[in-house]
Amino acid sequence: MLEKIIEGGYMMFPLLVCSVLALGVFIERSMAFYRNSKIDVRSLRAEILTLFSEGRIEDAIVLCASTPGPISAVLLVGLETYRKLQSINESAESVRTIMQKSMEDYSLHAMSAVEKRLNILATIGNAAPLFGMAGTVTGMIQSFDALATAGALDASLVAGGISEALITTASGLLIALSAVIPLNIFTSMSQTIELEIEDAASELVEFVTMRGGS
């Protein structure tokens, strides 16, 4: 492996950095999405509504605060907003509107945490093939320089440059694939989480509306 990296020339060094970054992001995000998948969101939502219907707002807030994940974080903002508005006797319509707005605003922050570092994978997916092509160009330049210096056609003179060109091209494409495929998977997962946040927030607002904000 080390021999191939050396044969690929100096353009293999940025490609090596890209591969390490892609692997690090993949491991970190895989663990984050795995932890999130272990949270029973449906049971959480049902328990929050049950506590809410019993007037146990503080217990619902504690439940959300003790449950990790973006969905519980957004619902926590909604419940805390409800508690503050109830303390100043806001109208039911005002409670509904402000709750909805506060959860919508905070959901942007929650999704930012969910999608954290995915931009690194996107950058690597775009940059790695370009590094590979740059290595191809430098390898071909090396081959033509060798021919020009020798003044005669000799396959052995161009072999090193062609080898460098092929190694960097292949490496760039493989690293790009190793970044783009996880990126698409993580993006799909984050979209699912975003839909779950919207559903949970809408459910809470509708529940408050049916209760007349009381």
Side-chain angles (χ1 to χ4, degrees), residues 145-194:
D145 284 345
L147 283 176
T149 301
L153 182 61
D154 186 347
S156 64
L157 295 175
V158 299
I162 294 176
S163 176
E164 176 181 327
L166 294 177
I167 290 172
T168 54
T169 300
S171 299
L173 292 174
L174 289 174
I175 293 170
L177 286 173
S178 69
V180 170
I181 293 174
L183 172 63
N184 289 335
I185 295 172
F186 293 149
T187 300
S188 177
M189 290 179 175
S190 67
Q191 289 172 348
T192 300
I193 292 174
E194 186 174 15

Side-chain angles (χ1 to χ4, degrees), residues 5 11-12 26-27 30 33 54 68 70 73 75-76 81 93 104 106 111 133 136 139 144 157 169 179 185 187:
I5 293 174
M11 289 306 298
M12 287 298 293
F26 171 74
I27 293 173
S30 294
F33 280 108
E54 295 173 355
L75 293 177
L76 175 61
T81 301
E93 183 60 31
E104 285 178 355
Y106 190 79
M111 286 308 302
M133 292 186 68
T136 300
F144 288 124
L157 295 175
T169 300
I185 295 172
T187 300

Side-chain angles (χ1 to χ4, degrees), residues 41 45 49 70-79 96 99-105 107 193-209:
V41 176
R45 290 166 58 176
L49 295 184
I71 297 173
S72 58
V74 172
L75 293 177
L76 175 61
V77 169
L79 290 171
R96 177 184 182 280
M99 273 186 69
Q100 187 172 22
K101 183 67 167 59
S102 64
M103 287 191 288
E104 285 178 355
D105 290 344
S107 66
I193 292 174
E194 186 174 15
L195 290 175
E196 289 178 342
I197 289 175
E198 292 176 359
D199 288 343
S202 297
E203 182 181 51
L204 181 59
V205 171
E206 288 173 5
F207 191 80
V208 171
T209 302

